[in-house]
DNA sequence: AAAATGGTTTGATGTATGTCAAAATATATA
DNA sequence: TATATATTTTGACATACATCAAACCATTTT
């Protein structure tokens, strides 16, 4: 973890709302305190964990955003996801007790640290928590399958359209505008995520703009026509 | 599920060994019977489940092998994995209670059906089972990240090399030869998995053979030089 | 405010992989 | 065994994306 981040105990943090949105009873809510959840702040480009780090906790993003990436010996790196408020990261580490990827902050914010062995213990007592944990892990698997489909069988502009629509939908879920948002990541990072070079990403943005589908002002995106953007994914654009 | 598959109760199937290789005590083993596990046979090209099917069970492959694939509206399909003996499939469905992909048998064999709600209940009582279930799900996430790296940043021959090495390693784990094996999947299926066209896969096989790294007789593969094959992944081949 | 830095856009050109097609080979069916 | 069908291989050619390079723009530093 970054050296600068400061900690504070957080017995009544907005965890239940943000991180674990499940119907817990009042006494069950209290038991969440057993987790000894700590809230931590982080700054842009802080590492939340690195590949190879011993696994102790999952992290629920309170606010701010991360990218996760896997590294290859030869230096290649692949962005595997962009995570935002309310999402849980670190699931890959459960498998081997060691983090398989690294999480880098794209902007400053806060996380709740969820000690995993305590979470496991508690989820044996609270079935709805257990169920929720399973769903979160399964959702990650489904998300990954979607990325495989994207990387394995879509062309550049289809990938970018799918990416923008995914962001749009996630912003909407958070009560933010689904049509106007600010990208937290660079063209290079988008390219890594989508299996493209940054120039290709930039050209695809420009093309969407020329087609009147979106307006791009560097990182500020406005989607003019959501339907057209969706149509792009079906090859026709 | 395929109509032809026949069922049989399976209280003392080799589940603990094959599917859930964890250190259970004798009484815990007995409790696995509570799951009411059924063994089912399947034939080549049977569907174990289809996209959209209601989720009830995970499946542990007793013997035989499957491919899993996700479908896109426009008919595109992407193979997301090839599963063999001892592996568990269906994890993606936990998220929404509906199967997100489909599993098609590549050869006939047997599966153990593991009713998921019973598995959840039981895993609350048996911590080692709970832990194992979590590890299985997390392992799937790590596997998926590896495929993203492959699809997002490797070239055709690197992808095929990585694929062959993965198969080699999995056969070795099962006590089979890591250097001589028979592919259960077509060039087209390999191509879908690796984000390539079948012709490209075929050419990459031919090139490896010309380079003296492997011998290919259609689906029969012999790896002559594992080290060279590994070297291929680092761009140099 | 000027200079420096890092990210983005755009153009010209190269290349890995896709597409189309035909032959070769394997597998299934009669 | 002969015939039909599906899969694989190989070649010729097309194309989407990568690469290289320069200009542009935004942000930070001095």
């Amino acid at each position: 973890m970054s050296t600068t981040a400061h900690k504070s105990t957080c017995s009544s943090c907005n965890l239940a709302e943000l991180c674990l949105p499940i119907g817990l009873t009042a006494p069950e809510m209290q038991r969440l305190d057993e987790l000894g959840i700590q809230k931590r702040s982080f700054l842009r480009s802080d590492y939340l964990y690195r590949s190879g780090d011993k696994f102790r906790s999952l992290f629920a993003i309170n606010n701010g955003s991360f990218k996760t990436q896997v590294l290859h010996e030869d230096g290649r790196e692949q962005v595997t996801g962009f995570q935002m408020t309310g999402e849980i990261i670190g699931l890959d580490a459960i498998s081997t007790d060691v983090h398989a990827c690294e999480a880098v902050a794209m902007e400053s914010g806060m996380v709740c640290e969820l000690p995993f062995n305590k979470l496991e213990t508690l989820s044996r007592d609270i079935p709805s928590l257990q169920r929720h944990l399973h769903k979160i892990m399964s959702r990650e698997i489904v998300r990954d399958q979607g990325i495989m489909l994207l990387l394995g069988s879509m062309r550049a502009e289809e990938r970018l359209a799918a990416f923008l629509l995914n962001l749009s939908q996630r912003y909407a879920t958070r009560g933010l505008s689904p049509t106007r948002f600010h990208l937290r990541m660079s063209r290079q990072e988008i390219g890594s995520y989508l299996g493209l070079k940054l120039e290709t990403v930039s050209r695809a943005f420009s093309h969407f703009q020329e087609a009147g589908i979106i307006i791009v002002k560097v990182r500020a995106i406005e989607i003019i026509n959501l339907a057209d953007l969706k149509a792009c994914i079906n090859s026709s654009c």
Side-chain angles (χ1 to χ4, degrees), chain A:
Chain A
M1 176 61 187
S2 144
T3 50
T4 50
H6 78 85
K7 299 182 176 189
S8 67
T9 318
C10 159
S11 67
S12 67
C13 82
N14 51 356
L15 178 81
E17 242 180 316
L18 268 186
C19 321
L20 303 165
I22 44 177
L24 294 185
T25 64
E28 282 170 346
M29 291 282 280
Q30 279 194 337
R31 296 208 51 198
L32 274 181
D33 286 355
E34 289 174 23
L35 285 176
I37 290 162
Q38 293 201 314
K39 223 175 190 170
R40 297 201 324 206
S41 64
F42 57 86
L43 299 173
R44 180 173 151 73
S45 78
D46 275 353
Y47 284 75
L48 190 55
Y49 49 80
R50 290 173 194 264
S51 191
D53 281 0
K54 168 101 178 85
F55 172 59
R56 284 197 182 74
S57 305
L58 299 178
F59 298 93
I61 303 171
N62 239 278
N63 56 70
S65 53
F66 287 87
K67 65 170 173 178
T68 46
Q69 53 193 11
V70 288
L71 309 171
H72 199 124
E73 299 90 66
D74 54 16
R76 268 181 292 201
E77 59 186 42
Q78 170 74 27
V79 171
T80 54
F82 300 112
Q83 293 80 21
M84 54 177 72
T85 303
E87 296 177 332
I88 302 242
I89 58 180
L91 298 170
D92 53 276
I94 297 168
S95 147
T96 58
D97 269 328
V98 167
H99 284 280
C101 67
E102 57 188 33
V104 187
M106 296 193 299
E107 59 183 335
S108 55
M110 299 279 260
V111 289
C112 287
E113 183 174 353
L114 314 172
F116 187 66
N117 49 21
K118 292 186 187 174
L119 199 58
E120 263 187 336
T121 305
L122 197 58
S123 81
R124 290 202 291 271
D125 291 344
I126 308 177
S128 66
L129 179 62
Q130 180 199 33
R131 166 59 53 106
H132 188 63
L133 186 59
H134 292 160
K135 282 193 188 286
I136 284 172
M137 297 181 78
S138 176
R139 196 180 306 142
E140 177 67 21
I141 292 168
V142 174
R143 189 189 74 88
D144 293 348
Q145 289 178 351
I147 299 171
M148 285 183 230
L149 177 65
L150 181 147
L151 291 173
S153 57
M154 289 188 186
R155 292 182 306 97
E157 292 188 357
E158 297 181 294
R159 296 183 199 186
L160 186 65
F163 169 70
L164 289 174
L165 287 166
N166 175 261
L167 281 186
S168 168
Q169 193 249 301
R170 285 156 77 197
Y171 282 127
T173 302
R174 283 158 183 78
L176 302 169
S177 169
T179 54
R180 302 171 121 263
F181 46 84
H182 199 86
L183 298 174
R184 262 75 190 200
M185 64 296 281
S186 69
R187 298 290 187 262
Q188 148 69 34
E189 287 165 331
I190 296 171
S192 171
Y193 179 63
L194 299 179
L196 302 169
K197 293 295 163 183
L198 71 291
E199 294 95 328
T200 305
V201 173
S202 178
R203 277 183 244 268
F205 270 124
S206 298
H207 183 234
F208 285 162
Q209 177 157 257
E210 285 158 26
I213 299 170
I214 65 176
I215 295 174
V216 189
K217 285 217 189 71
V218 192
R219 295 201 181 189
I221 302 291
E222 181 170 7
I223 300 174
I224 303 298
N225 194 327
L226 264 171
D228 281 5
L229 196 55
K230 279 173 190 151
C232 286
I233 301 185
N234 302 315
S235 277
S236 46
C237 165

